[in-house]
Amino acid sequence: MYKNSTNQFLKPVTTKINDAGNLEIGGCDTVELVEKYGSPLYVMDETTLRNICCDYKSAFSSYPKVNMMFASKALCTMGTSALIASEGFGFDVVSAGEIYTVYKAGADMSKVLFNGNNKSFDELTLAIELGVGRISVDNFFELSLLNEIAKSHNKIIDILLRITPGIECHTHEYIQTGHLDSKFGFDLTQIDEAVELILSEYNNLKLRGLHAHIGSQIFETKVYHDEIEILVREIKRLNDKFGLSLDEINIGGGLGVKYTEKDVPPSAYEIADVILKSLNTAVEKYQINPPALFIEPGRSIVSTAGVTLYTIGSSKQVPKGKKYIAVDGGMADNPRPSMYQAEYSAIIANKPLAENNTKVTIAGRFCESGDILIKDIELPNPEEGDILCVFNTGAYNYSMASNYNRVQKSAMVLVNNSQSDIIINRETLDDIVSGDVVPDRLKIK
Ligand code: LLP
């Protein structure tokens, strides 16, 4: 039996029902949070977030050379980045915006890895100028582009090669990434050509190791075993063939979370056990020096810590059909149900103990029939003005949010010890039009 880690919980660890009979998170009454900050409101619980960071660190502590990085794509704000950096994590970033956010948050840039399948000249330049520690090069075009930029800055850049290990994992097709026919990384058959080019022509690049990522919302641990076997085998092969001393492997992220009662994700302690055993076995088998291990989880770090609070507005009973309850957010603050048929759990924050007696479908407020947040959920007589709390929205909600229908993006608060702090301001109507320009010839006099 493995110790539990917080990615296995449906709700933030501080969730309770307070004396007023309302849902409380981080010591804050969620109904009061909506009164104070409005809705929809993203709420992040600091304790849950720090707990999972500690889980990861202690789960991997027996391996001397482990480097934890957080995959910023799951949630990238300056406040959460500062918090995660304070836990000793580095960052996996995929754009100038993410690089700049972690930089402004004060992250140690030497612990940042820049990753992505089509990094631009400007983004690579920014990464070099801000001292990003590693660049995971995805393809031949990028090798040449990065070498040119590095040369013009008179720098030698540490790189990894992103490879496609050819492993299928059982998750939604859109979030599988390590299978052979993937848009990411070098195919196994292209690695030697890439290494030859680095050694012969690209003198401003220093190859440190290999990087792979097999998918997201992963529940089976064996895929990590297979991935590590391939990465270590390739390291050994390249070291022998080219006389290299590659000593870094980055195995990506992927650990799943519990969106509904049906989901039973493994604990961080279990995947750490599989990963470290597989690594030690592969190191023995291929007789290499133990490489530095990098892991870059995203979802499992931030998902459980986050909830979204909505206010219920209109409702509609389709004659002989479903009962729809509409909330003041939806697919623009959480596109996951409409993109991936993702399922979520929710309760009514102002009557969490009331008996669930009504089956409803939670509809968003956006002009799209597919804007449904939760299908067929039992709730206690949901009514206009009730506060709906949707759990496990910390990952890939705010980071994929849009301004569809020109609705302002929601605010985010960090809660801890009965204190709440705004970490993202709610957008204003002026923010909505701030980038718009009306050409003079079209101005209405
Ligand atoms: N490293 C790399 C190279 C990645 O591509 C990803 C995620 C991660 C790490 C972090 O994976 P995680 O630990 O979060 O599973 N928007 C989708 C998820 C896309 C994941 C993309 N890559 C969703 O909402 O489910």
Side-chain angles (χ1 to χ4, degrees), residues 56 60 66-71 73 89 92 113 115 136 160-163 165 177-178 210-218 224 227-228 231 248-255 271 275 292-301 396:
Y56 266 107
F60 283 90
V66 66
N67 299 275
M68 296 290 168
M69 293 190 298
F70 167 64
K73 58 181 80 65
F89 277 57
D92 156 39
L113 170 96
N115 177 43
S136 177
L160 304 177
L161 287 183
R162 169 82 183 261
I163 67 162
T177 34
L210 299 178
H211 178 205
H213 168 79
I214 43 185
S216 202
Q217 186 61 351
I218 293 175
Y224 289 107
E227 180 190 14
I228 286 169
L231 285 168
E248 293 185 3
I249 64 168
N250 180 327
I251 61 169
L255 176 60
I271 63 153
I275 289 168
L293 171 68
F294 290 72
I295 66 163
E296 47 188 26
R299 186 192 316 267
S300 54
I301 300 284
Y396 302 112

Side-chain angles (χ1 to χ4, degrees), residues 18 42 61 107 128 209 211 231 325 363 390 413:
N18 65 14
Y42 296 112
S61 61
I128 291 179
H211 178 205
L231 285 168
I325 297 289
V390 178
V413 292

Side-chain angles (χ1 to χ4, degrees), residues 133-161:
R134 297 275 181 284
I135 297 190
S136 177
V137 179
D138 194 273
N139 51 61
F140 289 107
F141 169 73
E142 188 187 332
L143 273 179
S144 143
L145 179 65
L146 181 61
N147 189 64
E148 280 311 305
I149 303 171
K151 204 194 275 173
S152 68
H153 283 74
N154 228 343
K155 285 200 172 145
I156 307 283
I157 302 297
D158 285 321
I159 64 164
L160 304 177
L161 287 183

